[in-house]
Amino acid sequence: MAPWLLSAKTGTAGRETDGIRGSSSGALRILDHADTAALWALAEADPVANIFVLSHLETTRTAAPTAAGGRVVGVFDGDELIAACWAGVNLVPVGVDADTGPEIGAFLARSGRRYSSIFGPSEAVLSIWSQLQFSSPQPFDVRSDQPLLQMTGTSQVSPAPGLRYAQPAELDVLLPACAAMFEEEVGYSPVSGGSHHYRQRVKSLIARQQSLVDFDASGQVVFKAELGTVSSSVVQIQGVWVNPSYRGRGLSAPYMSAVVEAARQVAPVVSLYVNAYNAPARATYETVGFEQVGTFATILF
């Protein structure tokens, strides 16, 4: 049996509605603006794990569906919101456990929508997938063990002095490094079907001062990382990459220390998650001062 094929009953075929549907835990429905405070409170119970939804709420100030088609499925026990899942291009659970996850997965399966990934706390992701798998394309990767790390203080490693925010004029130099990191991490090129959307993503990070980079004397990118998701309380670091020509020189820890220093100017807690099998990266993060506070999982389609 493939590792993502968990024991579960096949989801019922049908058409999802925005109305209330009963479940063993309570009622499921798409959240609207009136549910904003409840979703906020649910997400704030674990601001490191739930940074994606908290960042969204701080930007939009609403739990209502977005113009781009993103919405939040909520599970209620009476009037109390007990679990939720962002459903846009990606699925991102909030407060989901082994009981509520399969119910959300079955609810989402009825919609017939497709998603690029599911990511978040491992129990939540895998329990959603236990039902969603029956109506979904087979994923090309299931990463069930991704330590979730955080730092709340200053690193004892001296930060690399050259790291700085990327400038708009450096987009064309930075973009190949970003694409190389993505392909190494995910397994395919983000520009294989055209570069416009990925280029806009990198351009937006630069414009918001969330892209950090250092160059060598010849203008090559030596190191880059992003403050990928930002809330008022947590910054989640993403896209960490060292140029292969500079690997093995002990540069990773000083650069990561510099990233932490920059991130802590934005929010008091710095977080990231990493594949358990990536021993060099995990060693670097431990050296810098990160500690594990949970376990994420990611399913990629």
Side-chain angles (χ1 to χ4, degrees), residues 59-146:
T59 300
T60 65
R61 318 302 292 186
T62 184
T66 69
R71 64 247 185 102
V72 182
V73 178
V75 182
F76 289 82
D77 182 3
D79 292 333
E80 180 186 2
L81 180 67
I82 60 172
C85 183
W86 166 263
V89 174
N90 307 297
L91 294 177
V92 187
V94 180
V96 173
D97 59 20
D99 292 325
T100 54
E103 297 167 1
I104 292 172
F107 185 87
L108 292 168
R110 287 187 285 271
S111 73
R113 293 178 65 174
R114 296 291 181 258
Y115 306 97
S116 294
S117 72
I118 314 172
F119 64 87
S122 183
E123 180 183 22
V125 168
L126 297 178
S127 63
I128 289 171
W129 181 238
S130 72
Q131 286 290 333
L132 185 60
Q133 65 177 313
F134 297 108
S135 66
S136 173
Q138 181 171 303
F140 75 81
D141 201 359
V142 177
R143 302 175 181 183
S144 59
D145 186 4
Q146 297 178 303

Side-chain angles (χ1 to χ4, degrees), residues 173 177 213-223 241 243-246:
V173 180
V213 66
D214 192 16
F215 299 93
D216 65 15
S218 69
Q220 285 193 90
V221 175
V222 177
F223 174 92
W241 183 82
N243 187 319
S245 299
Y246 285 88

